Amino acid sequence: MARLSCTFPGCASTFRSQQGRTHHFRTCHHNNNVLEEVDIQANAPRNPAATVEDEADFDMGNDAPPPDEPHPGPVPNHAPRAVPSATRHPYLTGMPCNADGIHLPPGTLPLQRDDDLGWAPFENEQQFTLADFLYRKEEMSAGNIDELLEIWALSMAQNDDLGPFNNYEQMYGAIDSLSFGDAPWKCFSAGYQGEKAPDHPRWQDAKYDVWYRDPATVIKQLFDNPDFNNQFDYAPYVGLNKAGKRTWSDFMSGNSSWKHSTEIYDNDPTTLHSTICPIILGSDKTTVSVMTGNVEYHPIYLSIGNVHNSIRRAHRNAVVPIGFLAIPKNDRKDDNDVAFRKFKRQLYHASLEMILSSLKEGMTIPVILRCPDGHYRRVIYDLAAYIADYPEQVYLAGVVQGWCPRCTSLPHDLDKISGQRSHDHSRQLAEILDPKTLWDEYGIDDDITPFTVHFARADIHEMLTPDLLHQLIKGTFKDHLVQWVGEYLALEHGEARANEILDDIDSRIAAMPLYPEIRRFPQGRRFKQWTGDDSKALMKVYLPAIAGYVPTQMVQAIAAFLDACYIARRADLDEESLKAFEDTVARFHQKREIFRTSGVRPTGFSLPRQHSLVHYAYLAREFGAPGGICSSITESRHITAVKRPWRRSNRYEALGQMLLTNQRLDKLVAARVDFVRRGMLRPSYDAAPLPILLPPGEDDDAEGPLDDLVTGNVVLARCRARNLPRKLQALAEHINQEDLVDLTQRFLYDQMNPHGPLTSQDVTADECPVVTSKISVFNSAVATFFAPSDESGIRGMKRERIRCTPHWRSQGERRDCALVVEDEDKPGMKGMSAVRVKLLFSFEHEDITYPCALVEWFKTYGNRPDAETGMWRVRPQMAGGGHHAARLVTVVHLKSFLRGVHLLPCFGPHPLPDAFHYSYSLEAFEAFYVNKYADHRAHELIY
């Protein structure tokens, strides 16, 4: 029998078994290995300041997560410990190599890519940009393209010249000739292979086509995408915050990647310094036809855990369709046919296994791939996560509907924490129990063998990710809590009175003031087709609308759920936030009992989607922040990969046309990335929600945490308002604000004497400096701040506009509210106040420009948030007394602004008048809630 050699350079030891070699390597080369890794620190994605001595202190044999990390189920093996010096995995370090797999010396620069391709197969930039614009961005039909090209040709013929293309066929041919992003679609057929009765149903004779593209080719293209550079992790790491506490954010910060990397190395030490590629799959049926709803597809998507969550969420081509599963159809008489249902489940798993079969070899033997930074690396594939809603999870896990696909909790008592499911556990039960007992007592469908049993290290029960969209936002909130409130009102008040209350709740929702992040509901909740965005928007304004109509405990239950949901949706989670999440879930479970005692849920809360909350803290530690692996990512991909291509087809045998459209789109995107990399095109992030934003004067390559770059930066709009007086006195008269001159001069006195013994309130108006320069008025200001949990640029920067205009979309004036920082040393609302912006303007004095705002003040009342809604309450601050009392108005510097804020009316016990308009809300009510649910950043700031 051949002996195994030690893999450490220069060591001649040989061994009879792999276990002996592993023991030798850990014993003899432990510190050498660490020293070598620290030498290539330039490749580490986190904590470049770690020292050799620090790295050597890390316990590589650690078998458990930190003791302060509680979670349901068994402890995952080899989870990283929160040691400040341990920033990345000690074995699968992602060391660069050459194209032959030989590791490179530290500091070796990557080879230049082949750049002498020009614009081929296009003749010039004009041809490519036109094809990219017409096909990818404008989605113009072939007939319209021909018409446009004909007009272009007629125009060019006047100068004896030609247009860029003769017709659409020539343009399509150029796109098809692109080598970038080429992953051809293939097809295989499957059908029923069992015995057939003489009168067997038609579905047993049918052949079902499954279209797919090679996932290994797709992964190769994802790794070779230079657009992902600096947003790509080559090794699992332990994320730490400034206090040295463990944090979880991107996928590679989770315990799962660390655990699997250790397992890979333990099984084969020759994988030392390789890169793990966690493969993230996702699938979900989607309907594309309008009205009839009879055309549906079942796409499969692939992404990799190496790319950062911000890239995956920003539609930067990091989520790729790799297959379309067959959807067997049958006659109505076969709807309850057990054999047909069994066949569909088996076809589903067999198709997935076939589609992913090309990855099997790469899960044990490293493949050499070029990476976004230009280096080659030895890469090991790993089926790591699967994004799916609950019905799809049931299909994937082979469990019975109503059971949890992750744990063995009984369907009638799902809130009880039970052991985790696993392939081994299911197999052992199947060996000793009959199918009926498996079904009834363990929720296992014996007819299903999950596709993951055929892949190394893969277990579908471990792979299932948290699903914020379907489990929390659309599931628990919209389908459960909102529905239960309506049922409670009907039980408590009768159908007629309940409808009157619901109408007033709808009126309250419609009366919420405008805010950039708040979607308006002009008719309240009365629309039939809800989207995930609708549910998210309703979450932001729902609590004040129901307060006073339902018991306090019911409002508290919904508030607790919203807090848990907002914490789970953060881009970065640390030990404190996960503990807060678990505490909030416990509070939700306690408060929701009101729905049981009131008769709405007399049977309790054994609901799989609500039960999923008990797994979220554990899954965040396994996979990183849930927002990076949520089904909202695949749902949004449906639009670009399925719905739009279907609409571009002629509806006849549309799938083939859709696949061709997807292939062309992938080629154009990949070509654009390459042309940008070569400097032939300027960067364009037209697919991202917002452009990359940095504070004025900051370098895009600045080092340090992004949240250090900007907490809140508010500047006036670029263009001033026209046709307004430029002198202060004339402006005061124009806006009917008599005190504007006095307030501005007192503001200027305070600015010029920031540390003086007196303030502007201690002096007379004559002692204040006079403003003589021209006044510039602006209709908005722009706040820029770091908010990666919200829709933002790829570096987490978010831009928000604070409006102050007398004319807004023919609806009257719009005066937004903002947060002003009064005491930086006090936390949350204790150090801030809310103001309403009445005027945005600037002026010069002694060569200094003062951007400022005329504002109305709101002050908090009470020393803590409202006990019912959990939100702070504010009232307008009054000046004067008696009949002369008016809202306090002052001028403040714009630098004191932190960002915008949304105020929600405290509606009180009386219904709103008919036809009440939302534009009056900020004047009509005496008290307001400070809306911490307006967005994720507000939820973190306003406490």
Side-chain angles (χ1 to χ4, degrees):
M1 179 177 178
R3 293 176 66 88
L4 302 176
S5 300
C6 178
T7 59
F8 191 81
C11 182
S13 303
T14 60
F15 310 91
R16 288 182 296 178
S17 67
Q18 185 168 285
Q19 288 80 3
R21 180 171 62 179
T22 301
H23 177 75
H24 162 82
F25 196 96
R26 288 183 170 178
T27 303
C28 300
H29 304 305
H30 175 90
N31 290 331
N32 304 68
N33 180 37
V34 173
L35 290 172
E36 185 178 1
E37 290 165 19
V38 176
D39 287 340
I40 57 168
Q41 188 65 41
N43 299 307
R46 296 292 186 273
N47 193 14
T51 63
V52 173
E53 291 79 13
D54 290 336
E55 293 282 351
D57 289 338
F58 179 56
D59 178 10
M60 297 182 183
N62 178 49
D63 288 333
D68 56 347
E69 296 180 10
H71 58 78
V75 174
N77 293 328
H78 302 101
R81 189 172 59 184
V83 180
S85 60
T87 60
R88 57 180 175 151
H89 196 271
Y91 304 131
L92 269 61
T93 60
M95 178 186 287
C97 65
N98 61 21
D100 296 321
I102 300 174
H103 288 125
L104 300 174
T108 303
L109 297 177
L111 296 175
Q112 293 294 321
R113 298 172 185 257
D114 296 330
D115 290 340
D116 295 331
L117 302 176
W119 292 98
F122 298 94
E123 294 180 3
N124 49 42
E125 179 181 359
Q126 183 188 40
Q127 276 199 350
F128 171 76
T129 53
L130 179 65
D132 186 50
F133 175 77
L134 295 181
Y135 195 87
R136 183 178 65 87
K137 295 186 68 176
E138 189 59 27
E139 300 180 357
M140 187 175 289
S141 67
N144 287 345
I145 291 174
D146 270 353
E147 185 175 350
L148 175 64
L149 292 174
E150 184 176 345
I151 296 171
W152 198 321
L154 290 173
S155 174
M156 299 297 290
Q158 298 177 4
N159 299 319
D160 295 327
D161 206 347
L162 299 175
F165 298 103
N166 295 331
N167 48 45
Y168 80 88
E169 293 177 335
Q170 184 185 7
M171 189 183 85
Y172 286 0
I175 297 173
D176 293 336
S177 299
L178 282 167
S179 59
F180 306 107
D182 190 16
W185 287 90
K186 306 174 186 178
C187 179
F188 65 84
S189 296
Y192 180 73
Q193 301 295 322
E195 295 183 1
K196 301 177 183 179
D199 57 344
H200 60 270
R202 288 186 301 171
W203 62 264
Q204 292 186 359
D205 291 328
K207 293 296 181 183
Y208 303 98
D209 292 338
V210 178
W211 287 88
Y212 73 103
R213 58 173 94 181
D214 182 11
T217 302
V218 171
I219 292 173
K220 178 181 178 181
Q221 293 171 354
L222 290 172
F223 263 77
D224 198 21
N225 188 344
D227 198 30
F228 297 155
N229 195 24
N230 299 321
Q231 301 286 331
F232 200 93
D233 292 319
Y234 297 105
Y237 65 91
V238 175
L240 302 169
N241 60 20
K242 296 177 181 177
K245 299 293 186 180
R246 179 79 185 275
T247 61
W248 292 266
S249 52
D250 297 313
F251 194 90
M252 294 286 267
S253 69
N255 292 348
S256 175
S257 297
W258 189 285
K259 175 182 67 175
H260 285 204
S261 295
T262 302
E263 185 178 345
I264 289 168
Y265 175 77
D266 284 346
N267 291 333
D268 184 4
T270 63
T271 58
L272 180 68
H273 297 317
S274 296
T275 293
I276 188 173
C277 171
I279 297 170
I280 302 172
L281 302 170
S283 61
D284 183 30
K285 281 185 183 179
T286 182
T287 302
V288 294
S289 56
V290 182
M291 302 299 290
T292 59
N294 64 344
V295 180
E296 58 182 358
Y297 295 97
H298 200 159
I300 308 293
Y301 300 102
L302 181 146
S303 184
I304 53 177
N306 308 83
V307 298
H308 291 181
N309 290 346
S310 57
I311 296 292
R312 195 177 301 111
R313 294 185 61 85
H315 311 295
R316 293 277 297 281
N317 215 38
V319 180
V320 183
I322 62 166
F324 282 81
L325 298 178
I327 304 177
K329 302 293 184 180
N330 63 300
D331 298 327
R332 285 190 178 88
K333 62 182 181 180
D334 299 321
D335 284 346
N336 296 321
D337 187 348
V338 175
F340 179 66
R341 295 202 300 266
K342 176 180 177 180
F343 168 73
K344 287 197 299 183
R345 295 193 294 268
Q346 292 176 341
L347 175 63
Y348 178 87
H349 284 274
S351 299
L352 286 173
E353 181 192 355
M354 179 64 185
I355 291 172
L356 301 172
S357 59
S358 65
L359 301 176
K360 290 182 179 179
E361 185 177 359
M363 296 180 74
T364 55
I365 302 174
V367 296
I368 300 171
L369 299 179
R370 185 164 56 180
C371 300
D373 63 357
H375 276 298
Y376 287 91
R377 286 176 176 84
R378 300 166 69 231
V379 177
I380 290 283
Y381 300 143
D382 185 64
L383 292 186
Y386 205 112
I387 301 171
D389 59 13
Y390 177 72
E392 191 103 359
Q393 288 183 358
V394 168
Y395 241 57
L396 286 161
V399 299
V400 179
Q401 189 79 19
W403 290 72
C404 176
R406 290 201 60 92
C407 71
T408 57
S409 296
L410 297 175
H412 61 272
D413 190 18
L414 284 176
D415 288 337
K416 183 178 180 181
I417 301 298
S418 302
Q420 299 280 39
R421 292 184 184 271
S422 68
H423 286 336
D424 290 340
H425 180 250
S426 298
R427 176 180 52 78
Q428 292 170 8
L429 290 174
E431 290 174 354
I432 59 176
L433 300 175
D434 60 272
K436 186 177 186 304
T437 304
L438 287 173
W439 181 285
D440 293 338
E441 298 185 14
Y442 292 92
I444 297 174
D445 187 347
D446 189 50
D447 292 333
I448 297 178
T449 301
F451 75 96
T452 47
V453 302
H454 305 288
F455 295 86
R457 301 178 302 279
D459 190 323
I460 190 60
H461 304 292
E462 296 179 359
M463 291 171 59
L464 296 175
T465 67
D467 183 7
L468 295 169
L469 177 63
H470 291 98
Q471 291 170 344
L472 302 190
I473 298 168
K474 294 178 70 174
T476 302
F477 177 69
K478 193 267 289 186
D479 292 341
H480 295 165
L481 298 177
V482 174
Q483 182 69 24
W484 293 351
V485 167
E487 294 175 10
Y488 164 79
L489 293 173
L491 286 173
E492 183 71 15
H493 302 286
E495 196 71 28
R497 175 57 182 157
N499 287 334
E500 292 178 5
I501 294 174
L502 289 172
D503 284 341
D504 190 53
I505 290 174
D506 287 341
S507 298
R508 291 180 173 188
I509 293 172
M512 300 298 177
L514 293 177
Y515 187 71
E517 294 295 320
I518 303 294
R519 176 181 298 191
R520 287 206 61 246
F521 293 89
Q523 305 300 323
R525 300 166 298 112
R526 300 202 68 178
F527 51 93
K528 294 183 179 179
Q529 187 167 355
W530 282 69
T531 66
D533 288 339
D534 294 327
S535 298
K536 292 175 187 175
L538 184 62
M539 293 171 78
K540 300 176 180 183
V541 298
Y542 190 61
L543 285 181
I546 64 172
Y549 281 127
V550 299
T552 295
Q553 187 177 340
M554 201 170 286
V555 179
Q556 290 173 332
I558 298 175
F561 169 76
L562 293 180
D563 286 334
C565 189
Y566 272 70
I567 294 173
R569 290 164 66 186
R570 292 180 184 176
D572 296 281
L573 295 166
D574 57 22
E575 295 166 356
E576 291 183 1
S577 57
L578 287 178
K579 179 63 167 58
F581 173 83
E582 293 171 326
D583 293 343
T584 306
V585 171
R587 189 170 76 251
F588 168 61
H589 287 166
Q590 177 191 4
K591 297 296 183 180
R592 72 178 177 181
E593 287 297 317
I594 185 64
F595 291 107
R596 189 201 304 265
T597 58
S598 64
V600 176
R601 292 292 304 177
T603 59
F605 308 97
S606 284
L607 302 164
R609 286 180 289 184
Q610 286 199 29
H611 163 73
S612 66
L613 277 168
V614 304
H615 295 298
Y616 267 60
Y618 169 70
L619 293 176
R621 294 180 173 101
E622 288 290 289
F623 300 133
I629 44 176
C630 174
S631 64
S632 59
I633 296 172
T634 54
E635 287 280 357
S636 62
R637 199 65 174 94
H638 284 338
I639 298 173
T640 56
V642 183
K643 297 180 184 291
R644 286 182 181 171
W646 183 82
R647 293 174 189 141
R648 295 173 69 168
S649 72
N650 61 14
R651 313 297 199 270
Y652 176 71
E653 296 184 352
L655 183 56
Q657 301 169 58
M658 293 161 59
L659 300 180
L660 183 58
T661 297
N662 271 312
Q663 187 162 309
R664 287 171 175 165
L665 291 173
D666 290 344
K667 287 171 175 280
L668 286 170
V669 170
R672 172 171 281 279
V673 168
D674 193 76
F675 292 150
V676 169
R677 178 188 61 82
R678 288 192 262 154
M680 300 167 67
L681 284 176
R682 62 183 179 86
S684 172
Y685 295 104
D686 51 271
L690 284 175
I692 303 174
L693 298 172
L694 286 175
E698 291 287 355
D699 184 5
D700 188 56
D701 294 324
E703 298 180 356
L706 284 176
D707 55 350
D708 284 346
L709 292 178
V710 59
T711 301
N713 180 60
V714 182
V715 297
L716 293 170
R718 293 182 179 179
C719 299
R720 65 179 179 85
R722 303 294 181 182
N723 303 320
L724 289 175
R726 302 296 303 275
K727 291 299 182 180
L728 189 58
Q729 181 62 48
L731 179 63
E733 295 172 357
H734 180 80
I735 66 173
N736 196 27
Q737 183 69 45
E738 298 178 357
D739 296 337
L740 180 62
V741 175
D742 180 68
L743 294 175
T744 303
Q745 293 182 170
R746 291 184 182 277
F747 159 79
L748 183 57
Y749 178 91
D750 290 331
Q751 292 295 310
M752 298 178 67
N753 301 277
H755 305 296
L758 302 177
T759 69
S760 61
Q761 301 304 313
D762 302 319
V763 299
T764 65
D766 294 337
E767 297 177 82
C768 294
V770 178
V771 177
T772 59
S773 70
K774 290 183 177 181
I775 306 296
S776 296
V777 177
F778 301 85
N779 288 331
S780 66
V782 178
T784 305
F785 49 90
F786 184 69
S789 300
D790 300 294
E791 292 186 359
S792 59
I794 61 170
R795 290 193 62 189
M797 301 306 297
K798 182 178 179 180
R799 183 178 59 189
E800 172 186 86
R801 195 169 290 273
I802 303 169
R803 301 188 183 275
C804 178
T805 175
H807 307 289
W808 177 253
R809 297 180 178 177
S810 303
Q811 298 291 330
E813 66 177 24
R814 176 172 175 179
R815 312 290 181 185
D816 287 349
C817 297
L819 287 175
V820 170
V821 178
E822 295 191 277
D823 190 339
E824 295 182 352
D825 296 327
K826 292 182 179 179
M829 283 300 295
K830 293 182 178 180
M832 298 185 293
S833 290
V835 298
R836 189 182 185 196
V837 182
K838 305 294 288 184
L839 183 70
L840 291 167
F841 65 103
S842 68
F843 62 90
E844 289 187 4
H845 186 78
E846 296 182 356
D847 297 327
I848 299 176
T849 300
Y850 293 92
C852 47
L854 179 72
V855 300
E856 289 180 352
W857 287 84
F858 295 83
K859 285 296 184 180
T860 59
Y861 64 96
N863 56 6
R864 61 176 57 89
D866 175 46
E868 185 176 37
T869 63
M871 293 186 283
W872 284 91
R873 289 183 292 181
V874 296
R875 290 173 176 157
Q877 188 171 358
M878 309 303 290
H883 297 293
H884 300 288
R887 293 188 176 185
L888 176 64
V889 178
T890 67
V891 173
V892 298
H893 199 289
L894 213 61
K895 68 182 180 182
S896 65
F897 277 37
L898 181 62
R899 54 160 299 178
V901 70
H902 191 217
L903 299 186
L904 302 170
C906 298
F907 290 99
H910 305 294
L912 285 178
D914 292 339
F916 181 86
H917 198 267
Y918 67 86
S919 61
Y920 302 120
S921 292
L922 290 173
E923 289 95 3
F925 296 93
E926 297 180 354
F928 301 86
Y929 296 106
V930 182
N931 190 2
K932 67 177 181 179
Y933 302 114
D935 54 52
H936 298 92
R937 182 60 178 159
H939 189 263
E940 295 183 56
L941 281 174
I942 302 170
Y943 58 92

